[in-house]
């Protein structure tokens, strides 16, 4: 079958359909968009029906809906569960968008819109790949199930419940996910590891009111000073996290693993220049790709308190706040990490201050052996379409539900991403390179047929 000709003829129609989906502001984090998220779920469900999928269901949850669909007419053949999400990130700051985030625009071979690459565009490709096979061949080479959620951008709070309640319905031989990226244009990659995550908010309090720095300065504790001192205690001067026991469960990088990282031939100097930095920074003894792919972190995401308006206000603030996230690897347990950080913060708090800590997100790291045959077939599929075999990489980000899917369903997760690292996911001017939309469709078809 000539799939290249098929997709070429359907390209305009496919992009028009994808643009319809991208126009729906399905921002899961904002309650005012609850109806829009539901509208996007219904749109996905209708697209699955039109593609020839059966048993299409829109499952309500305590939050946003989960969509299920199937096509199970290949007895004796593997069953593939396609996972993805139709919710998107907020669009702030709006003034930095060159075109409105929910008015899709194609410029220089790139489709601009919120959700274009994360993850509506990539999910849509799987729907159209399955539709193409059914239209061309009247049957699928494998059994297919879809599980598409609307809460990935808010850490999938309701999907684990759905998985537990529907294990038999979702049972599969592999979970196929496109929510990651190629290494660079023309250089495909298969992610074999995702870092876990935990987060917390810290508030430090001193007096019961803000105080005049002339009348009280030097004689009372300052909440900002106390917080800054506390946050500085979290790292040593070599970039390592100074929390006792933080590295428990972190695997050492073997020569083989470091060799795989080296194959990426990552240009640290180019990154430094692109970011306008005088130097990169991180844990001593590791390269940039090793730090972001296989080492744990503790990062400050926000620090605030005191007077922040124009000009000067000589005040001693009564409170100060910080937001902290950690990326976790190996066997690090997120709850254990949060408890250790909380203990460290209490132990290092400046005299005269009190502290309040709120633990928030928790997700374990995911890892899969690249020698897994299903991953090797995926690398072969990339090679057939891109002319270059995919490298096996580790991603510094977190997709918390991947570990849950793989563990609950006892199925390997195959992450075949078609985005690019510079497509501004979560940022203004998010876009999807249409070269990878075209090649991605062919690669998915090739992979499904190879199974």
């Amino acid at each position: 079958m000539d799939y290249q000709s098929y997709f070429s003829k359907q390209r305009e129609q496919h992009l028009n359909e994808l643009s319809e989906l991208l126009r729906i502001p399905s921002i899961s984090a904002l309650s005012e968009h609850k109806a829009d998220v539901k509208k996007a779920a219904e749109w996905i469900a209708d697209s699955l029906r039109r593609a020839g999928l059966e048993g299409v269901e829109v499952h309500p949850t305590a939050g946003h809906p989960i969509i299920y669909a199937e096509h199970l007419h290949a007895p004796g053949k593997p069953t593939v569960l396609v996972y993805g999400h139709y919710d998107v990130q907020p669009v702030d700051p709006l003034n930095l968008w060159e075109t409105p985030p929910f008015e899709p625009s194609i410029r220089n071979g790139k489709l601009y819109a919120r959700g274009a690459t994360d993850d509506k565009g990539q999910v849509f490709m799987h729907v159209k790949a399955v539709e193409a096979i059914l239209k061309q061949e009247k049957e699928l080479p494998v059994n297919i199930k879809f599980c598409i959620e609307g809460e990935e951008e808010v850490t999938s709070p309701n999907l684990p419940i759905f998985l537990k309640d529907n294990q038999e319905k979702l049972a599969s031989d592999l979970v196929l996910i496109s929510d990651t990226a190629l290494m660079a244009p023309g250089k495909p990659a298969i992610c074999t590891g995702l870092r876990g995550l935990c987060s917390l908010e810290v508030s430090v309090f001193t007096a019961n009111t803000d105080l005049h720095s002339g009348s009280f300065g030097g004689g009372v504790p300052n909440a900002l000073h106390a917080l800054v001192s506390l946050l500085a205690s979290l790292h040593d001067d070599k970039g390592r996290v100074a929390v006792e026991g933080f590295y428990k469960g972190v695997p050492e990088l073997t020569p083989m693993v470091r060799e795989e990282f080296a194959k990426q031939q990552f240009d640290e100097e180019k990154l430094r220049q692109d970011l306008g930095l005088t130097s990169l920074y991180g844990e001593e003894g590791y390269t940039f790709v090793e730090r972001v792919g296989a080492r744990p972190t503790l990062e400050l995401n926000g620090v605030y308190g005191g007077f922040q308006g124009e000009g000067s206000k000589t005040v001693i603030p009564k409170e100060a706040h910080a937001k902290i996230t950690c990326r976790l690897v190996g066997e690090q347990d997120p709850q254990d990490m949060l408890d250790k950080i909380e203990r460290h913060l209490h132990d290092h708090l400046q005299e005269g201050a009190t502290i309040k800590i709120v633990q928030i997100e928790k997700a374990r790291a995911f890892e899969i052996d690249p020698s897994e045959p299903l991953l090797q077939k995926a690398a072969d599929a990339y090679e057939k379409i891109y002319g270059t075999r995919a490298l096996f990489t580790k991603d510094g980000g977190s997709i918390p539900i991947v570990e849950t899917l793989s563990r609950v369903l006892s199925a390997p997760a195959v992450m075949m991403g078609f985005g690019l690292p510079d497509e501004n996911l979560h940022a203004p001017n998010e876009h999807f390179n249409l070269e990878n939309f075209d090649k991605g469709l062919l690669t998915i078809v090739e992979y499904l047929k190879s199974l």
Side-chain angles (χ1 to χ4, degrees), residues 89-208:
Q89 283 276 328
V91 298
D92 310 86
L94 190 59
N95 64 299
L96 295 182
W97 287 81
E98 292 181 24
T99 51
F102 297 110
E103 294 180 18
S105 171
I106 295 176
R107 304 192 298 275
N108 301 317
K110 302 172 184 178
L111 175 59
Y112 285 81
R114 172 59 90 225
T117 188
D118 181 25
D119 181 40
K120 289 179 178 177
Q122 299 204 55
V123 167
F124 181 79
M125 285 162 46
H126 284 276
V127 178
K128 290 304 166 185
V130 169
E131 179 182 79
I133 298 173
L134 284 171
K135 284 191 173 181
Q136 297 246 99
E137 305 190 34
K138 311 304 179 188
E139 62 181 8
L140 296 178
V142 293
N143 300 292
I144 286 278
K145 299 176 181 180
F146 279 82
C147 178
I148 313 297
E149 67 157 323
E151 297 183 321
E152 193 275 343
E153 300 293 5
V154 289
T155 70
S156 307
N158 291 292
L159 188 55
I161 302 165
F162 180 78
L163 292 177
K164 185 178 178 182
D165 292 344
N166 294 275
Q167 276 184 262
E168 188 173 342
K169 179 193 284 279
L170 298 169
S172 53
D173 296 295
L174 73 144
V175 182
L176 181 57
I177 303 168
S178 293
D179 196 12
T180 50
L182 283 70
M183 281 183 55
K187 294 184 177 179
I190 295 171
C191 179
T192 63
L194 293 163
R195 291 194 289 189
L197 178 72
C198 65
S199 66
L200 62 156
E201 292 184 0
V202 182
S203 298
V204 170
F205 303 94
T206 49
N208 58 10

Side-chain angles (χ1 to χ4, degrees), residues 21-28 33 36-37 88 102 120:
L21 176 59
L22 293 171
R23 288 189 185 99
I24 304 172
S26 50
I27 305 171
S28 54
H33 286 285
D36 295 313
V37 180
V88 300
F102 297 110
K120 289 179 178 177

Side-chain angles (χ1 to χ4, degrees), residues 267-280:
D267 190 339
E268 293 193 4
E269 177 58 20
K270 182 178 184 301
L271 175 68
R272 184 194 68 76
Q273 293 178 10
D274 288 348
L275 296 180
L277 293 168
T278 56
S279 68
L280 299 182

Side-chain angles (χ1 to χ4, degrees), residues 89-93 97 113-114 423-431:
Q89 283 276 328
V91 298
D92 310 86
W97 287 81
R114 172 59 90 225
E423 289 181 334
N424 288 15
L425 62 165
H426 294 203
N429 301 311
E430 178 181 348
H431 57 276

